[in-house]
Amino acid sequence: MSDYLSEPLERHRTVGVDVGGVMVGGDAPVVVQSMTNTDTADIDATVAQVAALHRAGSEIVRITVDRDESAAAVPKIRERLERLGVFVPLVGDFHYIGHKLLADHPACAEALEKYRINPGNVGFREKRDRQFTEIVEMAIRHDKPVRIGVNWGSLDQELLTRLMDENHENGAPLTAREVTREAIVQSALLSADLAEDIGLPRSKIILSAKVSQVQDLIAVYTEMARRSDHALHLGLTEAGMGSKGIVASSAAMGILLQQGIGDTIRISLTPEPGGDRTREVQVAQELLQTMGFRQFLPVVAACPGCGRTTSTVFQELARTIEDDLRRQMPVWRDKYPGVENLKVAVMGCIVNGPGESKHADIGISLPGTGETPAAPIFIDGKKAATLRGPNIAADFQAMLADYIEQRFGQEKSLKAS
């Protein structure tokens, strides 16, 4: 078996960018970010969603700044968040009139930690370079980084048309899809070159190239990484709802991350009606953790179930523990340093239950169908107790809480001393 299947390739070297105290690129770990879907002018709703996203683990949050009312709301949102103790960097997403909004609302320009520019709609024809320049100059004035975010749904049509014409005249023309990919890469790199010519240092530039098909994303970012050392933001745009969006995003970004490409990621899930926006943060964390790049939450190993596990007790217990760990993590990150490295096993029968439980820090092997109604508990690889009776699940949860307090509470005390 090839080594690359067990270990990621060496990270693509990029220039580090400081986004409000969060480092992106360079030697920094891959950063998780997300975006609100509230009307930014609705201060209460936006503050609540930014806080929820950050609490879930989003290290950078992007908000839409599309009109005067939303631009005027940004400094108030920043102030409210800080009063709540939420110090997450806010990124302004600008399209069409970003240059005007930043000029007319200097408090907004200062409150944001990064500006996102789409070179495909920053301006058209003779206005494009002028309005792009105005935003970059504003970033220089306020000492802010910029993400140049190309999106193939709003790709620079002049550039695309020129490349299509050149390709047509070529003796061995590329497909329209290949030309479009090249136009996306060129749009990002040419815009970055222009920003540097204006005076924005490379350490203030992040590039992204959003497409909605897995193979296109892999091809575009592979080429962009080959041709530049800019920090790169990964994201499959319009990924879709539910499992479709999760699978597509994970497939595309998993391959790129395995190749060492990508400095910050967003999982762009379409929320279910009334769904939780923080789901995209959870998926991004799980992708990075599953691939071994970051550790955000304790790992809960649970068997898939079979004919030996007709009782649903282990399924319910595994879900309860996972939900409880995720809910507690915002507090536990500070209270129990290192708790994210905890490994818990919740197994459903005697076949793999005891063995898997021994490999975990703490594990329970519940009785399967027809087995003796007893549940051995293993702590640090050794059998520590056997639970019986109707309260096995609750008893194990209490033992888990005690284990976390004894192990990780002591680690904090030792560090403090």
Side-chain angles (χ1 to χ4, degrees):
M1 183 176 292
S2 299
D3 290 342
Y4 81 88
L5 294 176
S6 59
E7 293 293 336
L9 298 181
E10 183 179 349
R11 185 92 168 269
H12 170 61
R13 300 301 301 170
T14 59
V15 175
V17 180
D18 186 343
V19 182
V22 175
M23 285 302 299
V24 174
D27 295 324
V30 181
V31 172
V32 172
Q33 64 177 277
S34 57
M35 184 177 184
T36 59
N37 62 353
T38 58
D39 179 355
T40 304
D42 185 339
I43 295 171
D44 291 342
T46 303
V47 167
Q49 192 171 90
V50 171
L53 290 166
H54 183 54
R55 201 161 46 242
S58 183
E59 295 159 300
I60 297 173
V61 178
R62 184 159 48 114
I63 59 177
T64 298
V65 187
D66 58 344
R67 63 192 196 280
D68 287 308
E69 291 81 2
S70 60
V74 170
K76 298 174 184 176
I77 292 167
R78 174 79 283 163
E79 181 182 354
R80 286 267 298 276
L81 287 168
E82 290 181 355
R83 287 208 304 266
L84 293 171
V86 178
F87 296 95
V88 61
L90 294 179
V91 178
D93 195 50
F94 293 101
H95 299 274
Y96 306 109
I97 58 170
H99 63 294
K100 184 176 186 303
L101 293 174
L102 286 168
D104 292 348
H105 299 272
C108 168
E110 185 57 39
L112 294 169
E113 296 293 354
K114 185 175 73 173
Y115 310 153
R116 189 269 180 143
I117 311 174
N118 183 339
N121 59 31
V122 71
F124 302 100
R125 290 179 288 278
E126 72 280 355
K127 294 181 179 179
R128 183 180 60 246
D129 287 354
R130 174 170 56 81
Q131 292 175 181
F132 180 90
T133 297
E134 289 176 18
I135 297 178
V136 172
E137 287 177 341
M138 193 70 66
I140 295 170
R141 187 176 311 149
H142 291 276
D143 194 28
K144 306 292 183 180
V146 166
R147 170 153 75 92
I148 297 172
V150 180
N151 191 308
W152 76 345
S154 50
L155 185 58
D156 181 346
Q157 291 303 300
E158 290 183 31
L159 173 61
L160 180 59
T161 299
R162 176 171 62 78
L163 292 180
M164 286 288 187
D165 289 343
E166 291 175 358
N167 182 63
H168 181 69
E169 296 170 0
N170 192 324
L174 302 173
T175 67
R177 189 173 185 177
E178 290 170 326
V179 175
T180 302
R181 289 173 176 173
E182 175 63 18
I184 292 169
V185 173
Q186 284 199 27
S187 179
L189 297 181
L190 291 171
S191 297
D193 288 344
L194 176 56
E196 289 192 65
D197 289 343
I198 296 165
L200 190 67
R202 187 160 294 206
S203 60
K204 293 286 187 181
I205 299 172
I206 297 173
L207 300 183
S208 69
K210 298 292 190 73
V211 299
S212 58
Q213 298 297 317
V214 169
Q215 296 298 339
D216 292 316
L217 194 82
I218 295 167
V220 165
Y221 274 94
T222 300
E223 184 63 16
M224 201 150 62
R226 187 183 70 81
R227 288 157 65 173
S228 83
D229 62 354
H230 289 93
L232 299 176
H233 167 71
L234 301 186
L236 189 74
T237 191
E238 289 93 39
M241 279 186 168
S243 60
K244 185 267 182 186
I246 293 171
V247 170
S249 294
S250 299
M253 284 188 273
I255 290 171
L256 289 167
L257 290 167
Q258 182 68 19
Q259 294 175 346
I261 298 171
D263 301 295
T264 175
I265 68 170
R266 180 194 173 202
I267 304 290
S268 301
L269 294 180
T270 303
E272 301 288 346
D276 188 350
R277 188 68 166 180
T278 63
R279 178 65 171 149
E280 65 176 49
V281 179
Q282 179 182 342
V283 174
Q285 289 182 328
E286 289 176 350
L287 174 61
L288 292 174
Q289 182 158 322
T290 299
M291 296 192 68
F293 291 107
R294 300 279 303 270
Q295 192 72 27
F296 297 98
L297 289 167
V299 173
V300 179
C303 65
C306 66
R308 302 176 66 95
T309 57
T310 54
S311 167
T312 61
V313 174
F314 87 93
Q315 299 167 350
E316 294 163 358
L317 181 57
R319 170 54 62 193
T320 298
I321 289 173
E322 281 201 354
D323 289 346
D324 189 52
L325 291 172
R326 186 170 289 280
R327 186 175 61 254
Q328 297 280 11
M329 277 307 292
V331 174
W332 284 359
R333 284 189 190 102
D334 178 62
K335 187 176 181 181
Y336 301 121
V339 71
E340 65 274 8
N341 297 308
L342 177 70
K343 293 179 176 60
V344 183
V346 181
M347 304 301 291
C349 79
I350 199 171
V351 174
N352 293 317
E356 191 71 40
S357 296
K358 288 177 184 177
H359 290 304
D361 295 311
I362 178 170
I364 182 171
S365 180
L366 290 158
T369 304
E371 294 177 11
T372 302
I377 306 298
F378 296 85
I379 296 178
D380 296 330
K382 298 178 181 179
K383 186 176 178 180
T386 299
L387 301 180
R388 293 182 174 85
N391 298 316
I392 287 177
D395 292 343
F396 178 67
Q397 285 181 268
M399 293 183 72
L400 174 59
D402 287 343
Y403 179 84
I404 290 171
E405 174 61 40
Q406 290 173 17
R407 175 178 168 183
F408 297 100
Q410 288 178 358
E411 287 187 7
K412 183 173 183 180
S413 298
L414 290 172
K415 288 181 180 179
S417 62

